[in-house]
């Protein structure tokens, strides 16, 4: 449970930094007609992709460690559950959506004039 919260906070921190570094880009997009929902969607997709790729990487590392343990320890076999693999992937994706929402909402509600004048 603690690792989920820590992972989620990490995603939120990454996305908050991403929003703060790209304020002028957000302002330009809004000035040329992007709606708040477009900005929200952009940052939610980004947060979800970051978390999903991290989840896939974690699954691959766990599988490689399992293979290494199978080779290193005779008579011991690591087994994999497709349910656990799916749950891990869905959890990491859900964390991206849940903890990416606040930074995405913050980006979507930026005032374009303020965003463009800030540099």
């Amino acid at each position: 449970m603690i690792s989920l919260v820590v992972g989620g906070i990490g995603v939120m921190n990454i996305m908050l930094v991403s929003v703060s570094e790209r304020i002028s880009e957000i302002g330009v997009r809004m000035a040329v007609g992007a709606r708040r929902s477009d900005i929200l969607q952009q940052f939610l997709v980004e947060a979800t992709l970051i978390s999903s790729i991290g989840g896939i990487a974690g699954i691959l590392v766990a599988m490689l460690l399992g293979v290494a343990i199978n080779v290193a320890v005779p008579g011991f076999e690591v087994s994999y559950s497709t349910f656990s693999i799916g749950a891990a992937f869905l959890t990491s994706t859900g964390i991206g959506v849940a903890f990416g929402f606040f930074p995405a909402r913050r980006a979507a509600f930026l005032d374009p004039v303020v965003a463009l004048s800030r540099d």
Side-chain angles (χ1 to χ4, degrees):
M1 181 67 174
I2 292 174
S3 65
L4 293 177
V5 173
V6 171
I9 291 171
V11 170
M12 189 173 356
N13 285 339
I14 289 169
M15 293 310 300
L16 283 170
V17 169
S18 178
V19 167
S20 66
E21 288 179 350
R22 295 163 59 186
I23 287 179
S24 60
E25 173 195 334
I26 296 165
V28 169
R29 287 195 64 209
M30 293 177 109
V32 296
R35 296 172 305 212
R36 286 183 173 165
S37 62
D38 297 329
I39 304 296
L40 183 73
Q41 181 181 7
Q42 173 189 350
F43 284 96
L44 271 178
V45 166
E46 187 176 321
T48 304
L49 280 173
I50 289 170
S51 294
S52 297
I53 291 170
I56 291 169
I59 291 168
L60 290 175
V61 166
M63 292 180 108
L64 289 173
L65 284 173
V67 169
I69 290 171
N70 285 340
V71 169
V73 182
F76 188 80
E77 184 177 343
V78 177
S79 61
Y80 305 101
S81 164
T82 55
F83 176 78
S84 297
I85 292 170
F89 178 74
L90 289 176
T91 300
S92 67
T93 303
I95 286 172
V97 172
F99 285 89
F101 180 74
F102 174 72
R105 188 175 183 282
R106 183 174 169 195
F109 282 92
L110 280 174
D111 182 17
V113 175
V114 173
L116 287 172
S117 66
R118 189 176 154 193
D119 220 356

